[in-house]
Amino acid sequence: MQSASTVFLVRPVRFGFNTETAGSNHFQQTIADLDQAIIQEKAFAEFDAAVAKLRAHGVQVLVMDDTPAPPKPDAVFPNNWLTLHPDGRVVLYPMHAPNRRPERRPDILESLGNQFTIREVIDLSHYEQEGRFLEGTGSVIFDHQHRVAYAGLSPRTDADLFQHVTSLLGYQPLAFRATDAQGHAIYHTNVMLCVGANLRSSVWKA
């Protein structure tokens, strides 16, 4: 199947602007006139609405709560540190920003293992010590039907790690470079590309 029938989401408790990721994510902006309490309230409302919408369309949604400490402003994006595969393999990814690394929580993995079969955990987090990163399905877009994986290279997406992961999982790698209007590498592939079932193709020009 191209798309999963079950997803798991992390409900963030310290959502906000992440100063450690801002250097490579040029789309991220601060909201100067809102305090943290209001930002958090809006994050909860958007999260709960997304869960309700997915469930209304027949998607099984597993919700796990973020932990307040240490602060993890991007905990709502667990797809960057973890991918789950139909053959029971799990991949843990090396994260560019130090304050994102605590998002890799053994208790989440244990909870998922209680509900699904986990045959093998492939932990790539040690590459952080070498300054090499690959951030899950932010970095890599998997076309499961055609066994092709796409990656836009950036400070968060290492070309050699991309080749390594696709070799392990049995996908043909297709890497490319993409920049924004200012010439900055686009930090994550999934902000510009997606693959899904029953999507109409289109051509977009700037």
Side-chain angles (χ1 to χ4, degrees), residues 7-11 47-48 51 55 61-65 111:
V7 299
F8 91 91
L9 305 178
V10 175
R11 193 170 193 260
F47 181 89
D48 293 341
V51 170
R55 287 173 172 164
V61 182
L62 308 177
V63 176
M64 304 185 189
D65 289 320
S111 178

Side-chain angles (χ1 to χ4, degrees), residues 15-33:
F15 181 82
F17 182 81
N18 190 341
T19 56
E20 292 190 16
T21 61
S24 58
N25 178 359
H26 300 283
F27 301 118
Q28 187 178 186
Q29 299 177 4
T30 60
I31 305 176
D33 59 341

